[in-house]
Amino acid sequence: MRIVRFKTKNVNPQYGWVYQDKVGQIQGDPFGDFRRLEPEFKLSDVELLVPCLPSKIIAIGKNFPEHAAEMKSEVPQLPVIFLIAPSALIPSGDPIILPPQSTQVEIEGELVVVIGKQCRWLEASELKSAIFGYTIANDVTARDLQRADNQWARSKSFDTFCPVGPWIETEFEPSDAIITSHINNSLKQMSSTRDMAFDPYQLVLFTSTVMTLNPGDIILTGTPAGVSQIVDGDTVSVHIDGIGSLINPVQAEKRFIKE
Ligand code: MG
């Protein structure tokens, strides 16, 4: 099942579900008890929103060996987790705004785990019921600022730096799915989730030993090799087989910092 958040001119933001090229409303809580109503809106007529409302965005660094190598680093012994501000979220279709502070903004296409229920210290046997589904993110990064700072909060949390969507696929099987990223029509990243150092299940288990995970929280599982710079006028498309495509145009920030 594909879960979206959407709005129209006459319908307030809410959860829905996608059936072929139509969207139906959801009555109740998609993370609890709910009923699917008949699809009545054309997908092309609704505005898709970020597909869930995370209390926190957890991200994983250096989880693909080839990406760690291109960063002149190695896969760590335990997952490296960091946080991205929820204010950085945008849906598929919205523009990524290049901030004037950076001259090197890069894309990172990633598989996202969406948490389904509140959990801490998960056991492996509880994993399937703790995961609501999967979606796609672009962990946009100001690479020059990431290098300049000793941690990554600034370089990863500019407004618009966390496109997520277009929907949550609840039936997705994450063991061997191809992730690709294109800038315009040029292929930049291509890898299988099979190449992850720590698979999505290990990442959820590990994270749950650190912090309480809430329904709708998301875990970005790390990017393959091929991270590449974007400039004003580009369009980025991250595709994962079995989920869909997250597509965002790129624009330069219109205001400038006074030195
Ligand atoms: Mg990343």
Side-chain angles (χ1 to χ4, degrees):
M1 179 175 45
R2 288 179 169 169
I3 299 287
V4 291
R5 283 180 62 252
F6 75 100
K7 67 178 183 182
T8 73
K9 216 162 51 171
N10 303 315
V11 175
N12 290 330
Q14 61 184 272
Y15 285 99
W17 67 291
V18 179
Y19 180 74
Q20 296 175 349
D21 60 349
K22 289 195 155 177
V23 176
Q25 289 174 291
I26 280 182
Q27 207 171 51
D29 175 9
F31 295 94
D33 291 330
F34 68 91
R35 231 182 95 210
R36 287 181 276 179
L37 304 186
E38 196 174 321
E40 56 174 316
F41 306 98
K42 276 168 103 176
L43 191 53
S44 54
D45 289 346
V46 306
E47 183 181 341
L48 290 184
L49 308 171
V50 175
C52 56
L53 299 166
S55 72
K56 52 191 167 298
I57 304 169
I58 298 143
I60 308 297
K62 297 185 271 193
N63 195 31
F64 282 80
E66 283 184 22
H67 170 62
E70 77 179 344
M71 294 286 111
K72 310 225 171 346
S73 183
E74 289 176 359
V75 169
Q77 291 213 308
L78 290 172
V80 168
I81 64 178
F82 60 96
L83 295 168
I84 299 170
S87 46
L89 286 167
I90 55 169
S92 189
D94 273 21
I96 298 163
I97 306 295
L98 302 173
Q101 296 95 324
S102 173
T103 58
Q104 190 187 2
V105 175
E106 296 188 346
I107 59 158
E108 297 187 358
E110 307 197 10
L111 173 69
V112 176
V113 181
V114 182
I115 299 299
K117 65 176 189 187
Q118 192 173 78
C119 49
R120 181 87 208 278
W121 293 108
L122 276 171
E123 304 281 346
S125 61
E126 301 168 317
L127 262 175
K128 285 268 159 71
S129 67
I131 295 173
F132 181 70
Y134 295 83
T135 184
I136 306 167
N138 184 353
D139 176 19
V140 179
T141 304
R143 196 71 65 197
D144 47 353
L145 306 186
Q146 186 185 31
R147 275 194 297 266
D149 298 351
N150 282 328
Q151 42 75 40
W152 306 348
R154 182 170 65 134
S155 62
K156 302 262 189 187
S157 284
F158 282 98
D159 284 3
T160 77
F161 267 27
C162 195
V164 170
W167 42 62
I168 299 165
E169 176 54 74
T170 60
E171 313 299 324
F172 179 75
E173 209 290 301
S175 61
D176 187 19
I178 297 293
I179 304 173
T180 58
S181 305
H182 288 79
I183 298 176
N184 306 320
N185 291 319
S186 174
L187 178 67
K188 300 297 183 186
Q189 298 186 285
M190 182 168 180
S191 196
S192 168
T193 54
R194 182 191 291 254
D195 300 327
M196 290 179 178
F198 303 99
D199 68 35
Y201 301 128
Q202 291 173 297
L203 295 174
V204 174
L205 283 179
F206 179 81
T207 309
S208 83
T209 67
V210 179
M211 59 185 85
T212 299
L213 300 173
N214 293 311
D217 281 356
I218 56 176
I219 303 178
L220 279 58
T221 57
T223 199
V227 298
S228 301
Q229 186 170 0
I230 42 176
V231 297
D232 186 23
D234 283 344
T235 298
V236 188
S237 172
V238 182
H239 180 85
I240 299 181
D241 282 349
I243 303 179
S245 297
L246 170 70
I247 300 168
N248 298 90
V250 180
Q251 293 174 9
E253 171 65 84
K254 298 289 188 290
R255 89 194 83 195
F256 297 96
I257 293 177
K258 293 196 185 83
E259 299 280 341

